[in-house]
Structures are given as structure tokens and as C-alpha cells.
């Protein structure tokens, strides 16, 4: 008799049947566990989303977050207003005529070719033009701007603000303190002629590149007020109003940028001019060259990160800067020129070193 809990044995499968079942299981497992690759998961990029081409008399742009570090192309546009309110990898602008252009922070290069009668606001790592005529550019450029076979070029200091701009500069790897906007290199100079110059000091940015008129782009909260500009507005190579200059250097910390901006506000509010700014890393040997007798005081601070240097100009600049540092930054370690006699040398020592570090 059979036991109550006994089970009837299934008939044995043939080898052929077993092979078929095994193959089916392997196929099912393969379908379930197909390998996933990062490039398969990326969103497909449509080049049309990163190109403005052949436009006439239009206002177009990209809102913050819509370019997100991609490269962009602008070509064959005429009588257009173009706004890229985001950071990008590189941008090329070809064969554009009578356009107003805003370009947010560019991690690499921006290259204008065969353009004429354009007005631009640009922030970039590298700036170059070739075969261009009559470009007026408010520029922030981390390296020396280069023009080639170009005439009638005019430059001013970048001044612009909208809430997302500071983070876009960071995403593009650009420092708001490294701006060589007026240090132009003409690759093809012509004897007896000057292919470039500087825009007047009292130039109003909106007179050159008006705020966008389209409903979509009006959503960007823009200010062209120089006091709100994300980039400190500097005199660059314009003639100084005084022979007296002062150097102030802030060392890396939680509030370095805020402290530097505060000192700029304090000094310019008193009528002094901000000539140039720089953010650069320093080593111990650099400190001896720049800070000289006081080097040992600052060397331990250099390991924390880059320093931010500011040059101010104006009669009484040294005394005013020292007084402001003592009154406003009493708990902050700051190098500031000790006397009018040493200030010019301090400035030369620091900026000669900084230019060498940045390959300029």
C-alpha cells in the first residue's frame, strides 16, 4: 500500500527536453539581466536645441538650465537679440550681422568669426575673434583675449546679474575675480593703426544689449547695475586717477568671496577705484616673493586654498584700506600694503607672479 504522504513521481525528461528547458531559462535570464551602459541611459541630444541658425529680426534665447554645459552654435543671424542664460562648454558665432548677444559663462572658448556690427556681453575662459568688424563687447575673460584680422573692436568690463549666474560661473570653472577684459592681444596688428580700444567709462550696458523683450525670457531676473554685477567692475588698463595704489589679499576661508566683495563696496563707496582683481593659488616660495618680510605670517594660510587679491587706486588709498580692514575685518587675516612707499611694489610683485602662474 502506498503511504498517505507519498508523491507520484513525474516521468523522467529526455536529454533533449532538458536541454530545451535549460536554454529557455538562460534566454529568460538574459532578458531580465541585460547589461546596462551609461551611454544607453543618456538623454538623446538634439543639435537643434543647441543651435541658432539663419534667423532674421528675432529675439531668441535659452533659460537657465536649458544648455547645462553643452556646446552651442550661433550662425547666419541678422538683426537678432540672442540670450544664452546658462553655462556652456564652447560657443562659436559665425557670420552674424547687427545682433545683440548675451552669453553666460563658457567653460572653454568663444570664437567670433566673420561677424560685424554686433554688441555682446560675454563671460568665458578664452575669447577670440577672426575677420570681425565693429564688435562692442562687455567681457569677462580668464585668459588674455585675442583678436585676429579684426578692426573696430571695443571692449568694456562685464557687468550683469541674475540669481542663477553665480552657480553657473562655478559650474563653468570660472572665478569671478579673474578677468583680463582689457588686456587685448592683437594677433595681426597693422603699423600706424589701432584695431581695438576701450568703451567709455560711463557706458550703459542696456544701451548696447537691451533686456530681452520676449515673455519667456523676461522671467530671468536681470540687473545691469554695476554694484550688483556678479563680476567686480574693474578699470583694467584705463589710466589711473592717482599714482597711489594699494594691495589687499584675502586668504581662503568660508567667507573669502563675501569679504572681498565687502571691501570692494567699502572702498568704492569712498571714491576709490578698483583697478584689478585676481584669484590664484600660492606656494611658500611665492609668499616670500610677494609678502617679503611678512611671508612667514601668511605661509600657513596658503594651504587652505587660493587667495583673492584686490588693487585699489586713489589718493589716500593705502590709509583708507588699512582703516577699513581694521574697522570691518578685525577678526580676518588680510595682507594689506603697509605704506604708500611700498604699495606700488606690492602690487607689481603680486600681479607679476599671478600673470606668470596663469601663463600670461
Amino acid at each position: 500500500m502506498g503511504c498517505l504522504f507519498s508523491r507520484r513521481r513525474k516521468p523522467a525528461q529526455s536529454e533533449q527536453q532538458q536541454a530545451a528547458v535549460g536554454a529557455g531559462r538562460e534566454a529568460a535570464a538574459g532578458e531580465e539581466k541585460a547589461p546596462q551602459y551609461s551611454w544607453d541611459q543618456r538623454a538623446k541630444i538634439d543639435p537643434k536645441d543647441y543651435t541658432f541658425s539663419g534667423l532674421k529680426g528675432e529675439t531668441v534665447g535659452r533659460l537657465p538650465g536649458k544648455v547645462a554645459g553643452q556646446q552651442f552654435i550661433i550662425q547666419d543671424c541678422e538683426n537678432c537679440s540672442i540670450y544664452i542664460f546658462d553655462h556652456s562648454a564652447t560657443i562659436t558665432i559665425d557670420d552674424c550681422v547687427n545682433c545683440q548677444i548675451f552669453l553666460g559663462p563658457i567653460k572653454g572658448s568663444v570664437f567670433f568669426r566673420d561677424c560685424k556690427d554686433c554688441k555682446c556681453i560675454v563671460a568665458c575662459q578664452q575669447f577670440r575673434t577672426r575677420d570681425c568688424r565693429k564688435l562692442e563687447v562687455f567681457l569677462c575673460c580668464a585668459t588674455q583675449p585675442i583678436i585676429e584680422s579684426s578692426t573696430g573692436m571695443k571692449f568694456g568690463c562685464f557687468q550683469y546679474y541674475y540669481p542663477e549666474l553665480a552657480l553657473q560661473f562655478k559650474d563653468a570653472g570660472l572665478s569671478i575675480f579673474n578677468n583680463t577684459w582689457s588686456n587685448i592681444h592683437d594677433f595681426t596688428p597693422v603699423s600706424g593703426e589701432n584695431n581695438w580700444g576701450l568703451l567709455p567709462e560711463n557706458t550703459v550696458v542696456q544701451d548696447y544689449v537691451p533686456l530681452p523683450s520676449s515673455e519667456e525670457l523676461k522671467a530671468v531676473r536681470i540687473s545691469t547695475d554695476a554694484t550688483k554685477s556678479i563680476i567686480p567692475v574693474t578699470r583694467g588698463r584705463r589710466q589711473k586717477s592717482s599714482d597711489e595704489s594699494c594691495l589687499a589679499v584675502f586668504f581662503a576661508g568660508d567667507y573669502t568671496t563675501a569679504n572681498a566683495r565687502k571691501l570692494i563696496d567699502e572702498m568704492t563707496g569712498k571714491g576709490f577705484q578698483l583697478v584689478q582683481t585676481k584669484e590664484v593659488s600660492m606656494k611658500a616660495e611665492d609668499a616670500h616673493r610677494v609678502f617679503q618680510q611678512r611671508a612667514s605670517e601668511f605661509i600657513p594660510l596658503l594651504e587652505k586654498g587660493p587667495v583673492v587679491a584686490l588693487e585699489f587706486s586713489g589718493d589716500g588709498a593705502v590709509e583708507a584700506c588699512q582703516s577699513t580692514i581694521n574697522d570691518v575685518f578685525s577678526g580676518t587675516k588680510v595682507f594689506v600694503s603697509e605704506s604708500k612707499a611700498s604699495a606700488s611694489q606690492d602690487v607689481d610683485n603680486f600681479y607679476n607672479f599671478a600673470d606668470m602662474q596663469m601663463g600670461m
Side-chain angles (χ1 to χ4, degrees):
M1 293 180 63
C3 175
L4 180 64
F5 300 104
S6 67
R7 297 179 180 175
R8 182 175 295 183
R9 296 182 62 185
K10 295 180 181 179
Q13 291 180 320
S14 68
E15 292 183 5
Q16 187 175 5
Q17 288 175 320
Q18 291 175 358
V21 171
R25 288 174 179 170
E26 289 176 4
E31 290 177 3
E32 293 175 0
K33 299 180 180 180
Q36 296 292 317
Y37 302 103
S38 59
W39 51 84
D40 291 331
Q41 300 174 23
R42 292 176 185 168
K44 300 298 182 182
I45 293 176
D46 187 345
K48 293 180 182 178
D49 293 335
Y50 305 96
T51 303
F52 290 136
S53 180
L55 304 180
K56 309 291 183 184
E58 296 188 41
T59 295
V60 294
R62 291 290 182 266
L63 293 171
K66 295 301 183 180
V67 179
Q70 297 294 328
Q71 68 180 36
F72 210 96
I73 296 172
I74 302 170
Q75 60 189 11
D76 300 310
C77 295
E78 185 175 351
N79 301 323
C80 289
S81 296
I82 299 171
Y83 305 86
I84 306 297
F85 293 125
D86 205 357
H87 69 102
S88 57
T90 62
I91 296 184
T92 56
I93 304 96
D94 293 323
D95 299 291
C96 289
V97 178
N98 194 34
C99 290
Q100 295 80 48
I101 302 172
F102 173 87
L103 302 178
I106 303 163
K107 186 173 185 177
S109 64
V110 59
F111 200 176
F112 288 81
R113 297 177 292 199
D114 297 290
C115 296
K116 65 180 181 179
D117 296 317
C118 291
K119 298 173 173 61
C120 313
I121 304 172
V122 180
C124 58
Q125 174 73 22
Q126 298 176 328
F127 176 91
R128 188 171 181 180
T129 71
R130 189 175 68 201
D131 298 316
C132 291
R133 306 287 182 270
K134 295 184 179 179
L135 265 59
E136 295 168 312
V137 185
F138 294 89
L139 180 63
C140 173
C141 187
T143 57
Q144 187 174 30
I146 295 174
I147 64 173
E148 179 182 357
S149 302
S150 300
T151 61
M153 311 291 289
K154 299 288 184 182
F155 294 91
C157 183
F158 181 105
Q159 55 187 74
Y160 218 78
Y161 170 84
Y162 52 87
E164 299 86 354
L165 191 53
L167 182 57
Q168 291 172 4
F169 265 87
K170 184 177 180 181
D171 287 340
L174 300 178
S175 167
I176 64 172
F177 297 107
N178 289 335
N179 185 10
T180 62
W181 67 270
S182 63
N183 187 20
I184 311 298
H185 175 67
D186 188 349
F187 198 72
T188 52
V190 177
S191 179
E193 298 182 15
N194 194 356
N195 292 323
W196 66 275
L198 303 182
L199 291 166
E201 287 187 62
N202 58 354
T203 298
V204 178
V205 173
Q206 284 183 232
D207 291 344
Y208 289 75
V209 182
L211 300 186
S213 58
S214 71
E215 290 302 319
E216 178 188 31
L217 299 176
K218 281 181 180 179
V220 181
R221 293 177 289 163
I222 301 165
S223 173
T224 58
D225 184 344
T227 62
K228 295 182 180 179
S229 175
I230 194 70
I231 297 294
V233 179
T234 57
R235 291 187 61 78
R237 292 200 164 189
R238 290 194 177 102
Q239 185 174 356
K240 298 177 184 179
S241 61
S242 170
D243 292 334
E244 183 176 347
S245 289
C246 180
L247 178 70
V249 179
F250 287 89
F251 299 89
D254 294 337
Y255 305 104
T256 304
T257 297
N259 286 339
R261 297 303 298 253
K262 178 64 174 175
L263 182 59
I264 292 170
D265 291 343
E266 292 283 338
M267 290 293 286
T268 56
K270 295 175 182 177
F272 296 98
Q273 297 173 334
L274 180 65
V275 178
Q276 58 181 330
T277 65
K278 195 73 74 177
E279 182 173 9
V280 66
S281 296
M282 298 182 70
K283 299 178 182 178
E285 56 267 30
D286 304 322
H288 286 290
R289 186 192 321 174
V290 174
F291 305 129
Q292 300 184 19
Q293 300 93 326
R294 299 178 62 190
S296 59
E297 179 182 348
F298 300 112
I299 286 175
L301 303 175
L302 301 180
E303 297 178 359
K304 296 181 179 180
V307 302
V308 173
L310 314 171
E311 179 192 352
F312 297 99
S313 178
D315 294 340
V318 173
E319 183 179 353
C321 195
Q322 290 174 342
S323 175
T324 303
I325 293 295
N326 291 334
D327 293 344
V328 180
F329 305 95
S330 56
T332 303
K333 199 73 169 178
V334 186
F335 171 86
V336 61
S337 298
E338 294 185 325
S339 68
K340 180 179 177 179
S342 67
S344 294
Q345 190 62 52
D346 291 339
V347 170
D348 289 343
N349 287 343
F350 183 87
Y351 284 100
N352 287 339
F353 145 76
D355 289 344
M356 288 178 61
Q357 287 291 98
M358 302 182 73
M360 297 174 57

